[in-house]
Amino acid sequence: MDVSHILESLNDAQREAVTAAPGSYLILAGAGSGKTRVLTHRIAWQVQTENISPHSILAVTFTNKAAASMKARIESLLDMPLRGMWVGTFHGLAHRLLRTHWQDAKLPQNFQILDADDQLRVVKRVLANLQLDEKKWPARQAVWFINAQKDEGLRPQHIEDYGDLYTKTHLDIYRAYEEACERGGMVDFAELLLRAHELWLNNPALLKHYQRRFSHLLVDEFQDTNAIQYAWLRVLAGDQDNMLVVGDDDQSIYGWRGAKIENIQKFSTDFPNSRTIRLEQNYRSTGAILKAANGLIDGNADRLGKELWTDQGDGDLLNLYSAFNEVDEARYIVSRVKDWLAQGNSYKEAAILYRSNAQSRVLEEAMLRSQIPYRIYGGQRFFERMEIRHVLAYLRLVSNRDADAAFERVVNTPTRGIGDRTVNEIRQQARANNISMWRAAKQLIENPNSKGRVKNAVNGFLELIADIDDATTDADLVSLCEIVIDKSGLKDYYEKERGERGQARLENLEELITAARTFDPEEDSVFSDEADGVPLTILDEFLNHAALEAGEGQGNANDDCVQMMTLHSAKGLEFPLVFLAGMEEGLFPHGRSVEEPGRLEEERRLCYVGITRAMKQLYLTYAESRRINGAETYNRVSRFVNEIPKDLMQEVRAQTSVTRPAQTSFSTSGISSRGIRPSAMTGASVDGTDFKLGQQVVHSKFGEGVVLNYEGDGKQARVQVNFGSEGSKWLMLAYANLQAL
DNA sequence: AAGGCAAATGTTTTT
DNA sequence: CATTTGCCTT
């Protein structure tokens, strides 16, 4: 068989990694160095030339998207469908294991997955049961505690409270939460991983089986693994020395949610026979962009070490724009996007990246005003929308009457006269008798003592669910969804909610039917092989799918629009033209991250990720004054800007500005520092204000200073003031609230 | 049960 | 500022 196409177009390091003999490897893959290529080509190589059975390969990724694209790429390389190969996310694979070995995992066969929102609800209920004041013990904090413990592989019995009330209380919550999950057959995301890990440890024979089977382990984005994920992998690998991990310590940006950069740092010690291969040639960015990235990341300690290079030449310099405020920043970005388009490029090649979502609004307004098509990534996912969750809860109840979380969600949605009081009563009944709320509700209507009205309402609900179930006995998934949406009354309910909101919800309900129509259980199926147990109904598979795969944000990904997203969500993407907006101290690095060195380094890596998204042109922008949460703030330029070698960057000015009067003659192009006005101008007054050049002023934050220069007039007027120790700053008069001395 | 109002809160996000 | 939450009223 001709396998040359697998090695073609690989560079030396990539080829080395692809063809390396079986064993353990750490592939340190810099941004844009072809890491996914290496993974997919290696798998194809092993299958085609080394006669490795796809059956013996397990490849893990972090997101569903990455898993899907890896699958697709391998299939196209091998030119055949993947059979028997396990390619998926940590959670997806863990789920598969637990479904297959539910008995060994001590789970009910029909266990259900709790997503983040479900989990929060359960914890809230637990808090109420424990009679803890949610003011003192916020549910979110408790969720965070529980997940953090599970991510570390810790059960309540492993944790010592040392008499600390915080730990002690959260331990109580953790225990009660575990019981609640146990009772309801519910498994949260972290639990999937922890259970799968314990499944290994408690079932040596089973572990042995999988160890024998998976002689080739591959892990993507290794720097993002948390403690339990790495532990799971290590147990599976055993002493086989068969794990190839790909990652980049410089792109570890999820430490705040449990990812352990230490995993990649320790890998070589944990696998002493492993070899490290560095992929440093970059095929994405210009030399200038790479040098900037290298220069910046050099400021971090304890790096494994890596220096990106390209043979493509330096390209354009990076651009730095200092805006008066966030509006000016947005306006500037718009002007550059327009230029970009005028040069014959497309919108979708441009991306605006920012540290926090709140920044997107001003940018969005500017795009809107200029009629530039844009798409903002992030925000609510499809399966997380309220109306969708409601429908799913009905579906869940149809599938399993004892699903209490679903019961609570829709028992009175749309409202049908079952108020808090009644629900409380049902809940208490359920707990007292250790039965599900469904059964408690049944008991309640059978109880001659309960009030007629309540009885009627509750009975109505129970019958509704039973009716839906009857009506859908032989129905397929699509009609099942349609019937639920219709019969539940949700459709009418949202039809009555006029305005855009209700309209959007109705559209989402339609979208759900489409999702059901296109749902392919084969893709998700837990039982493609290793069948061991009764296959799930398509409805249950669909519900699991909804929990594990939250759904793409919006569907119009193919349209030609400017891409706007946070730096975090930009990881893994690339764009010819990139703007990093809001390069200010306090914003980026974020104010909450600057005290701890470790967190600051993560911010720096985030900046590194941002820079390395750019292929051709990179603009860094910052605003000297910015409205944050309603209050005007004056931030200095981000330290990260200063950590980029000066010779790679030019300071730029807007070329034209329609909104500013022509007499504010500032330099019209290219490199320019802020020109100081000719001395003959000294003493001239700033148009339409009381300030003069050379005048002494006081600023609430920076103290006393002298007006050096000005631009614009009226509302747009801004002045340069030298504050001595604070340095000189450009301030918008309209915002700065300067006092003349 | 819905609507109104004050208070709190405000990084990053996948599964 | 502006959104969300909870609490209160009707």
Side-chain angles (χ1 to χ4, degrees):
Chain A
M1 177 175 289
D2 179 26
V3 291
S4 58
H5 70 281
I6 297 177
L7 297 186
E8 257 166 31
S9 73
L10 294 181
N11 66 34
D12 288 349
Q14 291 172 339
R15 193 168 303 181
E16 187 188 354
V18 165
T19 60
S24 290
Y25 296 90
L26 168 59
I27 313 295
L28 274 182
S33 65
K35 91 188 150 72
T36 313
R37 276 184 89 132
V38 164
L39 271 177
T40 52
H41 285 240
R42 178 171 176 86
I43 290 173
W45 174 259
Q46 295 196 316
V47 169
Q48 289 213 327
T49 73
E50 300 187 355
N51 224 9
I52 306 289
S53 160
H55 199 250
S56 66
I57 292 173
L58 181 135
V60 203
T61 64
F62 214 64
T63 64
N64 290 306
K65 202 170 135 199
S69 91
M70 189 186 295
K71 247 186 220 167
R73 286 173 73 167
I74 300 170
E75 282 178 348
S76 107
L77 274 172
L78 291 177
D79 199 24
M80 62 177 198
L82 285 188
R83 268 188 295 117
M85 193 182 297
W86 279 35
V87 181
T89 63
F90 279 101
H91 297 268
L93 297 178
H95 176 231
R96 184 169 177 172
L97 276 172
L98 295 179
R99 282 284 169 215
T100 311
H101 306 288
W102 53 277
Q103 283 158 314
D104 292 321
K106 299 187 186 68
L107 284 168
Q109 187 180 9
N110 63 347
F111 73 86
Q112 57 158 319
I113 301 169
L114 292 186
D115 66 19
D117 186 67
D118 296 328
Q119 188 187 24
L120 185 67
R121 284 164 163 266
V122 175
V123 167
K124 279 191 169 157
R125 231 166 52 211
V126 164
L127 286 168
N129 289 348
L130 293 177
Q131 313 213 330
L132 289 169
D133 181 5
E134 264 218 59
K135 283 263 158 55
K136 257 187 110 183
W137 305 100
R140 292 182 178 285
Q141 201 169 57
V143 167
W144 184 86
F145 178 89
I146 292 167
N147 290 339
Q149 304 308 319
K150 290 191 180 184
D151 282 347
E152 294 289 324
L154 300 174
R155 294 288 183 194
Q157 62 266 27
H158 301 134
I159 304 162
E160 173 60 56
D161 63 34
Y162 299 107
D164 172 46
L165 183 64
Y166 175 90
T167 313
K168 189 187 167 304
T169 309
H170 280 105
L171 264 184
D172 290 341
I173 300 168
Y174 186 2
R175 267 189 224 101
Y177 170 75
E178 272 201 324
E179 276 168 36
C181 289
E182 187 75 36
R183 248 184 322 199
M186 302 178 292
V187 173
D188 63 48
F189 290 134
E191 184 75 22
L192 284 172
L193 302 174
L194 184 49
R195 281 276 171 147
H197 182 236
E198 289 169 348
L199 179 69
W200 292 154
L201 297 183
N202 298 334
N203 300 277
L206 194 69
L207 173 61
K208 194 111 216 141
H209 165 77
Y210 281 104
Q211 283 178 336
R212 266 201 216 110
R213 168 171 177 180
F214 294 123
S215 50
H216 294 77
L217 309 181
L218 300 103
V219 189
D220 190 19
E221 303 275 18
F222 187 63
Q223 77 283 348
D224 285 335
T225 52
N226 65 26
I228 192 72
Q229 287 160 342
Y230 186 37
W232 183 79
L233 288 167
R234 286 190 70 178
V235 173
L236 178 58
D239 47 15
Q240 297 192 87
D241 238 325
N242 61 349
M243 182 148 70
L244 179 141
V245 305
V246 181
D248 180 358
D249 54 325
D250 293 332
Q251 292 188 71
S252 160
I253 55 175
Y254 286 109
W256 53 274
R257 68 174 195 215
K260 287 260 186 293
I261 192 174
E262 297 92 317
N263 290 161
I264 195 167
Q265 290 167 339
K266 285 186 341 210
F267 183 81
S268 302
T269 334
D270 292 340
F271 292 82
N273 298 323
S274 70
R275 217 147 57 75
T276 299
I277 297 173
R278 287 183 164 73
L279 305 180
E280 296 173 296
Q281 183 173 4
N282 173 292
Y283 297 94
R284 178 184 292 160
S285 311
T286 65
I289 290 167
L290 294 180
K291 285 175 190 168
N294 286 333
L296 172 88
I297 203 65
D298 200 36
N300 276 3
D302 298 324
R303 294 177 54 222
L304 292 170
K306 201 166 27 56
E307 186 131 334
L308 296 174
W309 60 276
T310 179
D311 56 13
Q312 301 296 301
D314 273 357
D316 297 334
L317 290 178
L318 280 61
N319 303 289
L320 176 66
Y321 179 73
S322 159
F324 325 146
N325 59 24
E326 74 279 9
V327 177
D328 178 39
E329 177 184 52
R331 205 161 30 203
Y332 174 73
I333 292 174
V334 162
S335 79
R336 306 321 309 195
V337 169
K338 281 184 175 162
D339 282 0
W340 175 256
L341 209 78
Q343 288 157 27
N345 304 297
S346 61
Y347 287 121
K348 64 172 180 293
E349 293 167 326
I352 309 174
L353 311 182
Y354 35 81
R355 176 66 234 265
S356 63
N357 286 309
Q359 288 168 255
S360 69
R361 260 210 21 208
V362 177
L363 294 163
E364 179 176 13
E365 279 165 16
M367 308 298 269
L368 229 36
R369 233 180 295 124
S370 315
Q371 311 213 357
I372 293 178
Y374 63 91
R375 176 177 177 208
I376 297 180
Y377 284 72
Q380 262 214 322
R381 323 228 119 175
F382 182 70
F383 286 113
E384 281 166 8
R385 286 159 209 246
M386 206 203 316
E387 58 276 18
I388 299 303
R389 301 188 58 91
H390 285 143
V391 179
L392 293 177
Y394 277 101
L395 291 172
R396 169 93 55 207
L397 269 184
V398 168
S399 159
N400 172 15
R401 295 303 129 92
D402 300 331
D404 284 357
F407 184 97
E408 288 214 37
R409 176 177 278 276
V410 293
V411 65
N412 200 32
T413 321
T415 49
R416 47 174 73 86
I418 305 174
D420 282 349
R421 223 184 48 80
T422 313
V423 176
N424 254 325
E425 200 174 311
I426 295 174
R427 195 186 297 118
Q428 242 138 43
Q429 271 296 309
R431 198 174 26 245
N433 300 311
N434 204 16
I435 53 175
S436 69
M437 290 182 71
W438 176 272
R439 290 192 202 190
K442 266 212 133 79
Q443 285 183 3
L444 184 128
I445 52 175
E446 281 154 12
N447 181 349
N449 292 334
S450 35
K451 287 202 195 79
R453 234 185 49 188
V454 172
K455 217 180 209 174
N456 249 330
V458 173
N459 194 35
F461 177 67
L462 298 186
E463 275 179 1
L464 170 66
I465 299 296
D467 277 356
I468 294 176
D469 201 358
D470 286 346
T472 56
T473 316
D474 295 311
D476 60 13
L477 192 56
V478 175
S479 22
L480 180 50
C481 288
E482 284 168 341
I483 290 170
V484 163
I485 289 170
D486 186 43
K487 285 208 165 201
S488 65
L490 285 173
K491 197 171 178 186
D492 295 340
Y493 182 69
Y494 290 123
E495 265 163 6
K496 277 189 208 107
E497 186 182 339
R498 312 163 299 278
E500 289 211 9
R501 198 132 190 84
Q503 193 54 41
R505 295 203 149 128
L506 283 173
E507 280 166 20
N508 285 331
L509 294 184
E510 279 304 312
E511 193 65 30
L512 180 67
I513 294 170
T514 308
R517 191 169 291 124
T518 52
F519 176 61
D520 176 8
E522 281 302 308
E523 257 172 50
D524 282 44
S525 183
V526 168
F527 295 107
S528 56
D529 59 14
E530 303 282 333
D532 177 11
V534 184
L536 298 173
T537 64
I538 186 159
L539 173 55
D540 282 322
E541 297 229 39
F542 185 62
L543 290 170
N544 289 331
H545 169 82
L548 279 173
E549 167 123 58
E552 289 288 288
Q554 291 100 330
N556 51 347
N558 299 323
D559 296 350
D560 182 29
C561 25
V562 173
Q563 314 290 102
M564 299 168 61
M565 68 192 84
T566 63
L567 286 154
H568 281 89
S569 31
K571 198 175 81 162
L573 306 177
E574 59 180 29
F575 310 92
L577 170 64
V578 168
F579 298 89
L580 299 188
M583 297 298 299
E584 294 142 46
E585 282 295 303
L587 235 197
F588 189 33
H590 194 273
R592 294 198 180 172
S593 301
V594 288
E595 293 113 55
E596 272 177 77
R599 302 191 69 190
L600 179 63
E601 292 207 340
E602 185 156 306
E603 296 278 309
R604 189 174 285 112
R605 292 193 290 269
L606 190 55
C607 187
Y608 175 84
V609 166
I611 293 173
T612 53
R613 295 315 93 198
M615 301 164 78
K616 294 196 165 83
Q617 290 191 20
L618 177 60
Y619 285 84
L620 309 177
T621 63
Y622 67 99
E624 296 181 354
S625 96
R626 179 185 298 275
R627 258 208 133 110
I628 296 179
N629 301 340
E632 205 73 21
T633 58
Y634 300 88
N635 298 317
R636 282 174 304 176
V637 61
S638 169
R639 69 190 73 191
F640 299 147
V641 169
N642 296 320
E643 292 174 12
I644 295 171
K646 288 278 161 301
D647 55 318
L648 298 170
M649 206 156 37
Q650 61 184 350
E651 243 192 284
V652 290
R653 285 298 190 81
Q655 291 194 325
T656 50
S657 176
V658 209
T659 49
R660 228 162 283 125
Q663 86 243 23
T664 63
S665 59
F666 47 80
S667 81
T668 49
S669 73
I671 313 166
S672 130
S673 54
R674 314 220 170 263
I676 299 294
R677 252 156 233 281
S679 57
M681 296 282 291
T682 307
S685 51
V686 180
D687 300 336
T689 71
D690 298 335
F691 296 99
K692 292 186 169 68
L693 295 184
Q695 179 160 30
Q696 299 256 332
V697 292
V698 181
H699 182 270
S700 55
K701 196 160 163 192
F702 304 129
E704 286 186 27
V706 182
V707 177
L708 292 182
N709 200 353
Y710 74 89
E711 282 178 349
D713 65 0
K715 272 192 178 158
Q716 293 294 325
R718 56 191 216 117
V719 293
Q720 187 186 34
V721 183
N722 186 349
F723 289 106
S725 56
E726 294 279 339
S728 66
K729 301 196 177 298
W730 282 92
L731 304 170
M732 293 272 309
L733 279 178
Y735 299 97
N737 196 18
L738 289 176
Q739 305 294 314
L741 268 185

